[in-house]
Amino acid sequence: MLYGGIEAGGTKFVCAVADEKLQIKEKISIATTDPQTTFKQVFAFFDRYPIEALGIGSFGPIGIQPDQENYGHILATPKEGWAGVDFLGQMKQRYKVPTAWTTDVNAAAFGEIKRGAAKGRHSCIYLTIGTGIGGGVVINDEVFEGISHPEMGHLYIKRAAEDTYQGTCPYHKDCLEGLAAGPSLEARTGIKGEKLPLDHPIWDLQANYQAQALMSYTLILAPEIIVLGGGVMNQDHLLKKIQQQFSELMAGYMETPKAEDYIVRWGLPNESGLIGALLLAQRELEY
């Protein structure tokens, strides 16, 4: 039995086929160009395998309500040419198999709780911090969705008094993503994040903004663990600063594990979403 998985990002699609033990048989990376070209390459890959189920974790926003006309579509994305594309419909038309459909970060959260840093828990938040900021949630072993999927990067946070940067988010300017995603580092300093000195004051600001968001998520959802991924989290010192500031902001108000055990780095670096998509495909056949 073979399962297909797609982690569909705005930069690249990672596609894989795995067996019933979720051992990956083959994996490819496809540049996300225009929809027609991208899907042609996706189809060329999966056409070679008799997959029994498919899992898709897509960049968003996406339509997730089956009773709505936009179900399975990419919605108001800034990715040129992709707004309104019926992603799920095209896949289901090509492959008549059970198909799981969610966001890339929800798939990553599911991957982390089943095979990664949150394994053994029943609830978690996965937050990716890179070019943008996105979050996925698993509660009681189920991917969380309401009228839409979580858009955790667009939470408003308290701006530092000395911070005059307007923010990168085209919708909200100074939401979490606008103030603390990767591009904000270079925009504020003129230096790419990976080249910034460890003692640069920007790191304390970044840690504070991210800790504020994690505090809000914790108070609202009370997950058992928070997993951080994405390019910015390659900075060891930043994780420690986030943990420290989270503890200071919480001020002992709510019982959580020690910050170093509660806020952790991803256990499946660069594979959380793909593994999650494959797991969701497998689960489609268990229902």
Side-chain angles (χ1 to χ4, degrees), residues 30-109:
I30 298 166
T32 308
T33 55
D34 62 276
Q36 184 178 2
T37 302
T38 305
F39 281 117
K40 184 178 180 180
Q41 294 179 74
V42 170
F43 294 156
F45 175 72
F46 285 114
D47 283 354
R48 297 185 292 113
Y49 293 97
I51 58 173
E52 299 283 340
L54 180 64
I56 304 170
S58 173
F59 70 96
I62 61 174
I64 62 162
Q65 293 289 345
D67 61 344
Q68 299 293 316
E69 288 186 7
N70 66 11
Y71 177 63
H73 290 63
I74 305 286
L75 303 182
T77 178
K79 182 69 176 175
E80 186 176 354
W82 284 85
V85 168
D86 186 4
F87 190 151
L88 180 60
Q90 292 194 55
M91 297 305 298
K92 289 179 76 71
Q93 185 176 10
R94 188 82 173 195
Y95 308 106
K96 314 293 186 185
V97 298
T99 303
W101 168 250
T102 191
T103 62
D104 49 357
V105 281
N106 262 346

Side-chain angles (χ1 to χ4, degrees), residues 156-221:
Y156 278 113
I157 53 177
K158 185 178 181 180
R159 177 192 283 272
E162 71 277 10
D163 185 12
T164 59
Y165 177 58
Q166 69 171 358
T168 58
C169 176
Y171 295 96
H172 313 116
K173 295 298 184 185
D174 59 353
C175 61
L176 175 66
E177 180 171 291
L179 292 179
S184 70
L185 292 168
E186 186 174 0
R188 283 190 173 96
T189 65
I191 306 169
K192 290 188 179 296
E194 60 269 22
K195 295 182 179 179
L196 277 167
L198 301 188
D199 59 354
H200 197 290
I202 192 66
W203 293 119
D204 289 320
L205 185 67
Q206 290 288 108
N208 178 262
Y209 287 160
Q210 290 166 26
Q212 282 189 55
L214 298 186
M215 176 183 176
S216 294
Y217 305 150
T218 298
L219 294 173
I220 295 166
L221 294 173

Side-chain angles (χ1 to χ4, degrees), residues 80-147:
E80 186 176 354
W82 284 85
V85 168
D86 186 4
F87 190 151
L88 180 60
Q90 292 194 55
M91 297 305 298
K92 289 179 76 71
Q93 185 176 10
R94 188 82 173 195
Y95 308 106
K96 314 293 186 185
V97 298
T99 303
W101 168 250
T102 191
T103 62
D104 49 357
V105 281
N106 262 346
F110 197 71
E112 287 291 334
I113 206 165
K114 296 299 182 183
R115 295 283 182 98
K119 187 176 180 181
R121 274 81 167 189
H122 300 289
S123 64
C124 78
I125 286 172
Y126 169 83
L127 196 72
T128 185
I129 305 167
T131 304
I133 295 178
V137 181
V138 174
I139 297 176
N140 294 329
D141 297 307
E142 296 288 339
V143 169
F144 172 76
E145 293 174 338
I147 59 169

